[in-house]
Amino acid sequence: MSLVLFYGFVGLALTSALIVVTTRNIVHAAFALMVTLFSVAAFYVFLDADFLAVIQLLVYVGGILVLVLFGVMMTSGSLLVKLRAPVRQLAPAAAIGVVLLGLLLHVSIGESPWDQFVLVENPDGSAAAAIQGSASERPSLASLATASVRPRLSIAYASTRAQGEGPADRLLEQEVATALIGAGIQRMYVVQSRPDTLNPTRHVVLVEKRVTSLVDDHAEADISDEELASVREAVAGRPVDGFAPAEVSRPEMLLVTGADEKARVALIGDLGLREVTDVRTVVGLGDSVMLGEFLLPFEVVGALLLVALIGAAVVSRKELEA
Amino acid sequence: MITLSHFMVVSALLFVFGMFAVLTRRNAIAILMGIELILNSANLNFVAFSRYVVGGVAGQMIAVFVIVLAAAEAAVALAIILDIYQKLGTISPDETRELKG
């Protein structure tokens, strides 16, 4: 469903962008540009960047486009004649465009190191072999689980800054769990690593829930006390550097949430696993990030916008005096 | 499943369209629209890479920067274009060659 929606927006974006480029009527071009910008906002939603999508709509569609329309209005002396936007250098531009497009598509579609997504492999390399074996398919949770040699233990790491307690985190767990269940993996434990309140240099690892319980949301009913206790004994309460998963009752996969970089490296290093890459990062850009970590860039952006506005006012004021 | 490649392909097409507009148009405002297309395609790549590869919100933060830059640029550029139109009566970049030595 979302894929259909995505392709719908792709069609919308590319068609309208083509109209922006080809139409001779510049007002039509401006309105087509609006559709393109709207579609890009939709893409941001697909990328979990909701805040950015709103910014896109406000600033681009609400601001820039209106400016452009005013510009068109003020610079077209007699409406009917000057609305035409003539073109030049069609052939060389087309040649350059085709070459550039070929290059970009080659980079986008060809073998790329960045498109593999989920997992951490087993030390004996069986998972890696299985993944590389199915080259047509991107490495994913599903392809790993359906591989003939299933890894004994893998870690899927979810980087979240919210210490594993926000709604986004919960959503992430659910998503991963659903994928795993669909792939036939039943036993995955969600492990949380967070700084020890008494000794911040150490990280406590807490075992939370089993994957099956994540989906139907009956956490306590689904996992027996002994099972939880045995996993907890092996994992929880210990600092990360003492984490020995071999003693755990053989979970097939651990989902680590809330771990910071150092803790994650320690976990993975201790397990002898090699990290391929993140699971997914579902973190939105919201108030807390804006006014916390990225305060300075945010301020700089604001100052820049102010300077530009004053500059624009000055430029158009001079024209009145002259 | 929507992968990174999907976004990269869309972004590549948008970029090429925008560049085509910049190269072929003889109307400064149409060129500005082409630049907006290019900036949007770059933004899409920033956010997509941040989502699929890097993690975190740094990519989104850069995208906010780019959007604001685009807004500032559009405001100033349109003011300049209006000024040029008042003085020269045209906004074709080929005909405004007052600075040519």
Side-chain angles (χ1 to χ4, degrees):
Chain A
M1 178 59 203
S2 71
L3 200 63
V4 173
L5 217 62
F6 177 78
Y7 280 121
F9 277 114
V10 168
L12 208 60
L14 294 183
T15 318
S16 56
L18 203 61
I19 292 174
V20 172
V21 178
T22 54
T23 182
R24 293 297 172 97
N25 187 326
I26 195 160
V27 177
H28 290 181
F31 278 103
L33 185 66
M34 181 178 78
V35 178
T36 313
L37 297 176
F38 182 80
S39 310
V40 172
F43 293 145
Y44 290 154
V45 174
F46 279 104
L47 289 167
D48 295 322
D50 307 2
F51 183 74
L52 205 58
V54 174
I55 295 256
Q56 168 93 0
L57 286 182
L58 282 178
V59 175
Y60 264 114
V61 182
I64 295 181
L65 214 64
V66 174
L67 267 183
V68 167
L69 278 176
F70 267 106
V72 171
M73 191 182 77
M74 310 276 248
T75 54
S76 54
S78 81
L79 273 172
L80 287 174
V81 185
K82 294 266 181 94
L83 279 182
R84 307 281 160 208
V87 294
R88 58 174 173 178
Q89 305 163 359
L90 267 182
I96 293 175
V98 167
V99 171
L100 199 61
L101 186 65
L103 274 175
L104 287 173
L105 288 186
H106 175 71
V107 174
S108 308
I109 303 176
E111 285 286 312
S112 59
W114 48 67
D115 213 14
Q116 37 181 259
F117 150 166
V118 193
L119 270 184
V120 174
E121 305 156 21
N122 215 25
D124 61 10
S126 57
I131 288 174
Q132 281 157 9
S134 61
S136 61
E137 230 176 279
R138 297 287 178 201
S140 67
L141 283 171
S143 73
L144 186 86
T146 52
S148 54
V149 189
R150 196 176 286 180
R152 199 190 59 219
L153 176 72
S154 303
I155 281 194
Y157 170 69
S159 82
T160 46
R161 293 178 191 280
Q163 293 293 339
E165 283 183 343
D169 225 25
R170 180 88 192 129
L171 195 70
L172 174 87
E173 287 176 9
Q174 293 259 356
E175 254 178 77
V176 174
T178 311
L180 288 172
I181 297 258
I185 288 187
Q186 294 293 317
R187 295 162 61 77
M188 182 191 78
Y189 298 91
V190 174
V191 179
Q192 274 203 18
S193 152
R194 48 172 63 147
D196 192 334
T197 41
L198 294 177
N199 181 3
T201 57
R202 294 196 338 171
H203 277 259
V204 180
V205 182
L206 304 166
V207 177
E208 293 246 309
K209 315 167 196 81
R210 202 169 67 182
V211 63
T212 44
S213 64
L214 275 178
V215 174
D216 47 25
D217 221 353
H218 298 302
E220 300 315 316
D222 206 42
I223 182 165
S224 75
D225 282 349
E226 304 90 64
E227 191 181 1
L228 190 60
S230 70
V231 180
R232 226 172 227 155
E233 195 185 335
V235 182
R238 295 187 180 207
V240 166
D241 45 89
F243 183 37
E247 303 160 16
V248 183
S249 56
R250 292 296 163 95
E252 284 166 314
M253 183 169 293
L254 296 176
L255 173 68
V256 183
T257 65
D260 70 355
E261 187 80 13
K262 234 168 129 187
R264 176 170 50 125
V265 169
L267 263 174
I268 289 164
D270 247 34
L271 291 170
L273 298 176
R274 194 154 63 81
E275 185 183 21
V276 177
T277 164
D278 276 354
V279 183
R280 304 172 46 160
T281 312
V282 185
V283 181
L285 193 59
D287 293 348
S288 55
V289 184
M290 280 289 216
L291 300 178
E293 195 180 351
F294 289 100
L295 182 61
L296 184 66
F298 191 56
E299 289 292 329
V300 170
V301 161
L304 200 67
L305 196 54
L306 191 65
V307 169
L309 283 177
I310 294 173
V314 168
V315 169
S316 27
R317 209 172 142 245
K318 268 185 186 163
E319 160 212 325
L320 282 182
E321 285 167 1
Chain B
M1 192 178 67
I2 306 169
T3 64
L4 180 60
S5 288
H6 286 82
F7 288 103
M8 287 176 75
V9 169
V10 174
S11 160
L13 284 164
L14 283 183
F15 181 86
V16 171
F17 286 162
M19 199 205 60
F20 192 78
V22 171
L23 286 181
T24 57
R25 290 295 192 178
R26 271 154 73 186
N27 178 322
I29 292 179
I31 290 177
L32 204 63
M33 290 185 200
I35 293 175
E36 302 294 348
L37 276 184
I38 290 176
L39 288 174
N40 264 280
S41 80
N43 249 358
L44 200 57
N45 260 358
F46 271 123
V47 180
F49 270 83
S50 142
R51 165 76 163 67
Y52 283 98
V53 181
V54 183
V57 294
Q60 294 183 34
M61 206 60 219
I62 294 177
V64 171
F65 249 102
V66 173
I67 287 179
V68 170
L69 273 175
E73 172 229 309
V76 174
L78 282 170
I80 292 175
I81 288 173
L82 286 190
D83 213 27
I84 287 177
Y85 183 74
Q86 295 289 331
K87 285 202 170 72
L88 304 179
T90 176
I91 53 169
S92 164
D94 290 338
E95 290 167 40
T96 52
R97 46 182 81 146
E98 300 297 298
L99 290 179
K100 197 173 179 185

